[in-house]
Amino acid sequence: MKCPYCSYEESKVVDSRSSDDNERIRRRRECCRCGKRFTTYETVELIPVIVVKRDNSRETFDKNKLLSGLLKACEKRPVPLETIEGIADSIEGQLQSSVDHEITSTRIGEMAMAALRTVDEVAYVRFASVYRQFKDINTFMEELNKLLSER
């Protein structure tokens, strides 16, 4: 495992334990060169989920891309990182357990918006504005009005 601090390729495992969800093994490692410690997670390798993009191109699902979008939407909002990671984990789990291993980016976006809607309305609107490519203020207001009418 390459050290994230000095990029040295040798490290030793200091501690191993199951994560809270028993889906991964959490390992504390120590770099053999610089001595700094870092955490890695070991998971079962699953069949890759293929994302069909709007232009019909295909790429492997990347949870980090989803997480990045969720983090941007929740920036400066009172949403704990654990909640955001939980949303990404939940969506990834739903995709992995799906019978179909090809899914549209539209469906993933809808799943993310549904989760954000229950967590933080401002984050939901931020995500929706990028995801649905709001063209003008009227489109933005329509989405806000939907939120207000559902209250």
Side-chain angles (χ1 to χ4, degrees), residues 129 132-143:
S129 70
R132 291 192 177 148
Q133 299 174 340
F134 289 176
K135 300 286 185 227
D136 55 27
I137 193 73
N138 293 329
T139 315
F140 203 86
M141 286 305 295
E142 286 172 19
E143 196 64 37

Side-chain angles (χ1 to χ4, degrees), residues 4-32:
Y5 303 104
C6 71
S7 298
Y8 192 62
E9 293 190 13
E10 288 186 41
S11 64
K12 62 183 179 183
V13 176
V14 178
D15 180 41
S16 288
R17 63 180 70 168
S18 293
S19 63
D20 294 335
D21 58 6
N22 286 323
E23 297 284 325
R24 321 174 261 216
I25 295 175
R26 178 183 184 273
R27 299 196 192 283
R28 277 301 280 164
R29 295 178 176 271
E30 184 176 302
C31 177
C32 293

Side-chain angles (χ1 to χ4, degrees), residues 77-91:
R77 299 296 305 154
V79 181
L81 180 59
E82 295 80 31
T83 302
I84 299 167
E85 289 174 335
I87 292 170
D89 288 343
S90 173
I91 291 171

Side-chain angles (χ1 to χ4, degrees), residues 22-123:
N22 286 323
E23 297 284 325
R24 321 174 261 216
I25 295 175
R26 178 183 184 273
R27 299 196 192 283
R28 277 301 280 164
R29 295 178 176 271
E30 184 176 302
C31 177
C32 293
R33 179 191 286 162
C34 70
K36 290 190 179 181
R37 291 187 176 193
F38 56 98
T39 302
T40 60
Y41 292 92
E42 181 179 312
T43 60
V44 174
E45 189 170 5
L46 301 169
I47 298 170
V49 174
I50 304 299
V51 179
V52 181
K53 314 258 310 178
R54 288 181 181 160
D55 65 358
N56 282 328
S57 64
R58 287 168 164 68
E59 65 180 48
T60 305
F61 173 74
D62 182 358
K63 185 172 86 171
N64 290 328
K65 277 184 159 181
L66 174 62
L67 192 56
S68 173
L70 293 170
L71 286 168
K72 286 176 189 169
C74 295
E75 193 172 305
K76 297 184 183 179
R77 299 296 305 154
V79 181
L81 180 59
E82 295 80 31
T83 302
I84 299 167
E85 289 174 335
I87 292 170
D89 288 343
S90 173
I91 291 171
E92 181 182 42
Q94 290 174 52
L95 297 177
Q96 287 292 339
S97 64
S98 172
V99 176
D100 190 11
H101 284 279
E102 271 196 359
I103 188 158
T104 63
S105 59
T106 305
R107 180 70 189 119
I108 295 170
E110 296 294 332
M111 294 166 80
M113 285 192 305
L116 282 174
R117 186 178 223 153
T118 63
V119 172
D120 187 280
E121 290 176 338
V122 173

